[in-house]
Amino acid sequence: MQHLAWPFFADSHRTLAPEIRSWAERTLHGHDDESRDAIDSACRQLVAVLGAAGFTRHCVPRAYGGTSDDFDARAICLVRETLAEYDGLADFAFAMQGLGSGAISLAGSDELKARYLPAVAAGRAIAAFALSEPEAGSDVAAMQCAAREDGEHYVLDGAKTWISNGGIADFYCVFARTTPGQKRADGTTAAQGITAFVVDADAAGLEIEQRIDVIAPHPLATLRFRNCRVPKAQRIVGEGVGFRSQCERSMSFALPWPLRRLDLRAERCGKRWHTCASVPCSASRWRTCN
C-alpha cells in the first residue's frame, strides 16, 4: 500500500484502505455455484453486507446517508480495487450502487433523493442504470426508447439491453428521448432531447424481457417498456437534460482504476503505458514499475 503515502490521499483514505482489505479477507470467498439463481442471490447478499459494513455509504452524498458531501473518487477507487482483488462480483455490486443511483445524487429532486438514496447507502435497495439499447448500444444519439408526456405522467416505450442488475434491481435510472434528436450537417444525430427517469422495478408496463448470461456471471437483462406510465415527479432534472448533466460524474463508479494505476506506475518508470501493458506484468515487474 505504498501508494497511500502519495499526497493526494488523506488520512481518511489511509484508514479506509486497510479497513476494506481486512473486511474483504474475512468476508469474500468467491462463488462455487455460478448458476443464474445463485449469482442473483449472491449479488443481493453482497449489496446487503456491503451496506451493513458501511461501504455503500460511499455511493451517495452525506446528506442522504453517505460519507462525504460529494463523490470521493479516491475512496471509490480504494474500495473498488480491493473488492476486485477478492471478488469481482463484490466490486460489481458496489459499483452499480453508485452508478445506478448517481443521476439521482447529482440532479434528482430532494424528494427523489430522500426516497431512494438512504436505502442505496444502507444496502437495502439495489440500483441499476438503463442506457444501452438493442440497436443503438451505448450510442446515446441513436437512442430509440421514447417518453411522451401524458398529463401528470410520461409514457415510456422501447427497450434497454445489457442492463447490469437487470432482474434484481429495485429501481432503474432510465434514459429516454422526449424530443427527436437534431440532425447535424454531417448527417449524424446530436445527443439532445434525452430525459432521465427513475422507474421502480414493479412499475406497470416494465418487464424483464430476457436474462443475459455472460462468461463473468452477474445479473444482466433486457428491459421492455410498453406503455409504462411514470409520474412526472420521477423525472430527474429538466426535460431534455438527461445525458450530459447527470451521467458524466456518475461515471466515477465505472473508473478503470487498475488501468490508471498501471498508467501512473509506467510514467514513474519512464515508459509509455502501452509498453508496460503490452506484456503480462509479474509481481517483480510491478515492483520494478514502482
Side-chain angles (χ1 to χ4, degrees):
M1 294 192 194
Q2 294 179 352
H3 59 281
L4 291 173
W6 294 349
F8 54 75
F9 285 116
D11 288 342
S12 60
H13 304 117
R14 298 183 184 101
T15 299
L16 173 63
E19 180 184 351
I20 182 64
R21 182 166 295 276
S22 175
W23 180 87
E25 288 177 348
R26 298 192 312 270
T27 310
L28 304 178
H29 307 292
H31 310 279
D32 294 329
D33 186 350
E34 294 188 346
S35 67
R36 184 185 297 166
D37 288 345
I39 293 298
D40 284 357
S41 176
C43 199
R44 291 188 183 98
Q45 183 177 7
L46 284 166
V47 171
V49 297
L50 284 164
F55 296 120
T56 45
R57 293 179 62 212
H58 293 282
C59 299
V60 305
R62 191 193 313 276
Y64 298 93
T67 56
S68 58
D69 293 334
D70 199 356
F71 291 139
D72 183 344
R74 293 164 294 174
I76 293 167
C77 290
L78 289 170
V79 172
R80 288 207 59 188
E81 70 167 349
T82 303
L83 292 178
E85 178 180 343
Y86 286 86
D87 182 356
L89 193 63
D91 172 48
F92 164 85
F94 171 81
M96 285 309 305
Q97 287 296 93
L99 182 59
S101 65
I104 302 173
S105 294
L106 294 171
S109 66
D110 291 343
E111 290 76 14
L112 285 177
K113 291 176 181 178
R115 178 178 175 185
Y116 292 99
L117 296 184
V120 170
R124 298 193 307 269
I126 297 177
F129 183 85
L131 177 71
S132 298
E133 297 188 359
E135 299 300 324
S138 297
D139 179 1
V140 179
M143 185 178 295
Q144 297 297 310
C145 185
R148 59 180 173 84
E149 192 172 356
D150 183 22
E152 292 303 310
H153 292 76
Y154 284 89
V155 181
L156 274 62
D157 286 284
K160 298 291 181 179
T161 196
W162 300 106
I163 305 306
S164 293
N165 277 344
I168 71 166
D170 294 290
F171 67 89
Y172 300 86
C173 283
V174 180
F175 294 79
R177 280 204 172 278
T178 43
T179 58
Q182 297 180 3
K183 291 290 185 181
R184 300 189 182 98
D186 63 1
T188 60
T189 304
Q192 297 172 333
I194 294 169
T195 304
F197 304 89
V198 186
V199 182
D200 291 325
D202 60 357
L206 167 59
E207 63 181 80
I208 305 301
E209 186 172 71
Q210 179 186 13
R211 291 298 302 270
I212 303 170
D213 297 318
V214 290
I215 292 174
H218 62 278
L220 200 63
T222 297
L223 315 181
R224 175 64 65 177
F225 299 89
R226 291 188 173 91
N227 293 314
C228 180
R229 297 181 65 82
V230 179
K232 283 187 175 179
Q234 297 292 100
R235 186 185 69 197
I236 304 174
V237 81
E239 184 173 304
V241 197
F243 183 69
R244 179 165 297 186
S245 66
Q246 298 164 51
C247 190
E248 286 179 344
R249 286 178 65 208
S250 63
M251 287 298 180
S252 297
F253 291 91
L255 183 69
W257 177 242
L259 190 63
R260 181 56 185 150
R261 288 189 65 195
L262 178 59
D263 194 6
L264 290 168
R265 293 180 182 206
E267 289 175 8
R268 294 188 65 184
C269 70
K271 298 178 181 179
R272 295 189 63 184
W273 169 80
H274 60 73
T275 303
C276 280
S278 62
V279 296
C281 281
S282 65
S284 62
R285 184 172 179 81
W286 278 102
R287 285 194 291 272
T288 300
C289 284
N290 275 328

